[in-house]
Amino acid sequence: MTEGTTQKVSNAILSCMAGFASFLFSLAAFLFITELDAKIVASIVAGAFCLLISYVASERPNSESARALAALGDRLLAVEDGDFTSGAPPIVAQTMPKVAAAVDSLFAEVRSSIENAHALGMYDPVTSLPNRLHFRSEADKLLSQMADGQMAAMLFLDLDRFKAVNDSLGHARGDQLLTMVANRLRVVVTAEMVEGIAQRPLLARLAGDEFTIFFPQIASERDAERVARRLALAIREPFELQGHSVDIGASVGVALCPDHGSSIETLMRAADIAMYRAKSRGGSQYCVFSNDLAREHQNRIEVEKALGEAVERGEFVLALQPQLSLATGEVTGAEALLRWNHPRDGLRMPNSFIPIAEQTGIINEIGEWVIAEVATMLAEWQREGVSERLAFNISPRQVDRADFFANLRQTMAEHGVPLSMLELEFTETAAMECSAHVLAEIAEMRRGGAKVAIDDFGTGYSNIARLRSMPLDRVKLDPSLIADIETSEQARVVVQAVIQLIKGVGAEIVAEAVENVAQADILRAMGCDTVQGYVFARPMFEDEYLEWTRNSRRVNRSVA
């Protein structure tokens, strides 16, 4: 029998009983009361009684429903206080069981959704490790519970060569690799628990290929180094991924509390700085934060900030170093070398700021200034009848810009400088890794008359097939190759082999940083075409360079 039918039957029985009671009351009143006034009063009382019984019969279910609805409203309002666990009130279950069941089901779904949202918001979906938000919250709690004199360690881990896996095997395989990495890290953390750490370390994936581990209790710096070493060794082992043996590594930075910071933020920053030092050393190793690293980092921040203002303030200058033919001794051109006329430190060499400019992207602004300065300089040379070629370096970040070569051609055209007066120098690594589009642009510049050179050859990775097919005129040997050719037979063999290789692809050889006549003589005998270095001329500013070249032409300088 349904709830509605039961309610109707109950009301009908109550109404019948009320009618029967009214009948008995009225019958008794007419049989025993003889006075008219008493009969009127009795009739009124009987009528009121019937009305009361009828009202009770009709309002009884409404009053129960009202109380149930009021109780249900109170239950729903309790959600504001965070009550998602209580069920429907008993009166609702008694009066409206279906409504009570629906309310209970609704709150069960809400609780499930909240738990899922909490998991998504606090855990990494790929590795199931705590994410950055969860890690910081839990690490803060652990840090606040540390006893006086207790030491803690923050380890920051960044995978080496992970991008290559994503690029070659795809992001799905990359996610699988991240899961495998997380499992290895769990093994190391579990092993540390076994070895006596009382409080459980907190392992998390921050973002991308970055992981962090917080040890709220560690005995000494040596123990922290041991853990970091174990982590690096664990990730160095090859991973078997869908039939591929994948070799990656991990750079690990270590920061200690309280030595390197007393908050999670400062510890993470210190560990991050140490990690980048480990990566700069080649990766697959660890580094502990130190005061020297802190000073270097602060210097980096200051240099980065100053570089952003250096172009606007006109603090950069170009120094020119002549290039001489080993066969004739004549000046064949010059290389434009960047110098920073720092307002406090004086003249700064490129190695003190170019790496930072590359990493921050400021190199694009500096590169634009160099191109404009070279164009202005060459335009003036043309007017003075000087037609020597000027070489300058091109950053990998510059060629990544789609409009770089178009802007370069436009700048030279606006100054009336022919491309034949330019030599574009690319680092070995950049030349090997540039795209087909960039190669096509370089070839177009070369067809327009510009020379193309590879700089610092011998320090990066060279693809012989790329070397053969690349539009190329000259290759500049890195100074490290020729530094010991006077005293080392092995160094001479290596340089001779490199020279033969370059000759084989039809390019000229330029030797940089030649410091004495003995080196020049050996290089001439090996077949080197051109040299630049202190043995003949130091870098000099434009006026000095033009005077030096005029003198060299007058005396017909020869080094043959």
Side-chain angles (χ1 to χ4, degrees):
M1 185 177 294
T2 64
E3 177 187 353
T5 302
T6 302
Q7 190 67 55
K8 289 178 180 179
V9 171
S10 174
N11 289 344
I13 294 172
L14 185 60
S15 298
C16 291
M17 292 177 63
F20 182 71
S22 299
F23 169 76
L24 291 178
F25 186 85
S26 300
L27 179 63
F30 281 105
L31 289 177
F32 297 102
I33 299 176
T34 58
E35 297 296 329
L36 178 62
D37 293 341
K39 289 181 179 181
I40 293 174
V41 173
S43 298
I44 293 173
V45 172
F49 177 75
C50 290
L51 289 174
L52 176 63
I53 296 300
S54 298
Y55 175 79
V56 170
S58 62
E59 289 298 318
R60 184 176 64 87
N62 293 337
S63 60
E64 290 181 357
S65 299
R67 288 195 298 273
L69 290 175
L72 181 60
D74 292 339
R75 172 64 191 91
L76 294 176
L77 290 176
V79 171
E80 294 183 357
D81 298 327
D83 183 3
F84 293 97
T85 58
S86 300
I91 190 173
V92 177
Q94 295 171 3
T95 307
M96 297 175 285
K98 287 187 176 181
V99 174
V103 169
D104 290 342
S105 176
L106 174 63
F107 277 109
E109 292 181 6
V110 169
R111 287 194 298 272
S112 177
S113 298
I114 291 174
E115 290 172 359
N116 291 336
H118 181 267
L120 290 174
M122 303 299 284
Y123 290 89
D124 170 48
V126 176
T127 62
S128 298
L129 293 174
N131 61 14
R132 181 187 295 271
L133 181 64
H134 190 183
F135 173 79
R136 291 182 67 96
S137 174
E138 293 300 314
D140 273 327
K141 292 179 183 177
L142 292 173
L143 197 62
S144 65
Q145 296 169 2
M146 286 178 54
D148 293 339
Q150 183 176 328
M151 179 178 288
M154 179 73 71
L155 279 68
F156 200 100
L157 184 147
D158 186 87
L159 300 182
D160 304 322
R161 301 180 296 280
F162 177 73
K163 183 178 182 298
V165 176
N166 262 346
D167 292 343
S168 60
L169 300 181
H171 290 281
R173 296 289 181 266
D175 286 348
Q176 291 179 11
L177 180 59
L178 288 174
T179 301
M180 298 168 73
V181 168
N183 290 336
R184 289 195 184 180
L185 296 180
R186 287 188 180 100
V187 170
V188 175
V189 170
T190 301
E192 291 302 320
M193 286 291 296
V194 171
E195 293 176 14
I197 294 181
Q199 293 177 288
R200 182 175 181 81
L202 182 61
L203 168 64
R205 179 192 175 202
L206 297 186
D209 58 353
E210 296 177 346
F211 296 83
T212 189
I213 308 173
F214 180 61
F215 286 85
Q217 181 180 359
I218 200 158
S220 64
E221 180 176 337
R222 180 175 298 180
D223 283 349
E225 292 185 41
R226 175 179 52 79
V227 174
R229 189 182 305 111
R230 291 184 63 177
L231 290 170
L233 290 174
I235 306 304
R236 188 184 301 173
E237 292 295 321
F239 292 85
E240 293 299 323
L241 188 63
Q242 296 294 320
H244 298 275
S245 180
V246 178
D247 290 311
I248 60 173
S251 300
V252 184
V254 181
L256 302 174
C257 175
D259 296 350
H260 305 143
S262 55
S263 69
I264 293 301
E265 182 179 354
T266 55
L267 288 172
M268 290 182 69
R269 183 167 61 249
D272 188 38
I273 294 171
M275 181 275 294
Y276 275 107
R277 170 53 62 87
K279 191 174 287 289
S280 69
R281 293 173 177 171
S284 295
Q285 56 185 290
Y286 72 91
C287 177
V288 179
F289 185 76
S290 65
N291 291 332
D292 289 339
L293 277 181
R295 284 191 292 269
E296 289 181 17
H297 180 69
Q298 184 60 35
N299 176 68
R300 173 191 172 87
I301 294 175
E302 293 175 358
V303 170
E304 182 179 338
K305 180 180 178 181
L307 280 173
E309 303 170 348
V311 175
E312 297 178 0
R313 294 177 178 176
E315 296 175 359
F316 290 111
V317 293
L318 292 179
L320 308 178
Q321 186 168 36
Q323 297 176 340
L324 284 78
S325 168
L326 275 175
T328 66
E330 296 178 344
V331 177
T332 60
E335 180 181 3
L337 303 172
L338 188 64
R339 301 289 187 264
W340 181 10
N341 192 13
H342 194 277
R344 184 187 68 236
D345 302 336
L347 210 60
R348 296 185 62 163
M349 297 296 104
N351 59 1
S352 70
F353 62 89
I354 287 296
I356 298 176
E358 290 274 6
Q359 293 168 8
T360 59
I362 300 175
I363 192 65
N364 286 317
E365 297 179 27
I366 298 175
E368 290 175 359
W369 177 87
V370 170
I371 291 172
E373 191 72 8
V374 166
T376 302
M377 191 179 297
L378 292 178
E380 182 65 26
W381 288 8
Q382 272 197 305
R383 288 190 288 270
E384 296 181 5
V386 179
S387 58
E388 292 171 356
R389 184 175 63 247
L390 186 60
F392 60 95
N393 289 281
I394 305 296
S395 164
R397 279 195 177 244
Q398 289 178 273
V399 299
D400 285 342
R401 298 176 61 174
D403 60 349
F404 169 73
F405 289 99
N407 290 341
L408 175 59
R409 283 190 288 267
Q410 181 180 351
T411 301
M412 295 304 159
E414 290 174 352
H415 287 79
V417 176
L419 296 182
S420 58
M421 297 185 72
L422 300 181
E423 181 171 310
L424 310 179
E425 293 188 0
F426 302 88
T427 64
E428 181 181 9
T429 301
M432 295 302 109
E433 294 180 352
C434 63
S435 65
H437 171 72
V438 172
L439 282 179
E441 290 280 10
I442 294 174
E444 182 64 27
M445 293 290 296
R446 190 166 180 257
R447 283 191 292 270
K451 298 294 184 182
V452 178
I454 292 180
D455 194 19
D456 299 330
F457 187 84
T459 59
Y461 168 75
S462 289
N463 183 314
I464 303 302
R466 168 63 67 90
L467 202 61
R468 290 177 55 193
S469 61
M470 184 177 177
L472 185 63
D473 296 290
R474 311 172 88 193
V475 173
K476 303 183 73 173
L477 303 181
D478 187 77
S480 62
L481 288 178
I482 65 173
D484 300 324
I485 59 173
E486 300 170 78
T487 58
S488 172
E489 177 65 23
Q490 186 180 36
R492 289 192 290 272
V493 170
V494 170
V495 172
Q496 184 67 72
V498 172
I499 289 176
Q500 293 303 316
L501 172 65
I502 297 171
K503 291 283 188 180
V505 299
E508 297 179 9
I509 298 100
V510 180
E512 295 184 279
V514 180
E515 297 182 352
N516 55 60
V517 175
Q519 289 178 338
D521 290 340
I522 294 172
L523 290 167
R524 182 192 298 110
M526 289 181 175
C528 183
D529 301 295
T530 305
V531 292
Q532 71 180 75
Y534 285 9
V535 63
F536 299 117
R538 292 176 177 269
M540 56 194 83
F541 295 119
E542 183 183 10
D543 292 342
E544 186 182 0
Y545 168 79
L546 292 175
E547 181 64 24
W548 189 90
T549 54
R550 282 192 288 266
N551 291 337
S552 69
R553 284 193 292 271
R554 280 198 296 268
V555 300
N556 193 23
R557 183 187 302 268
S558 176
V559 294

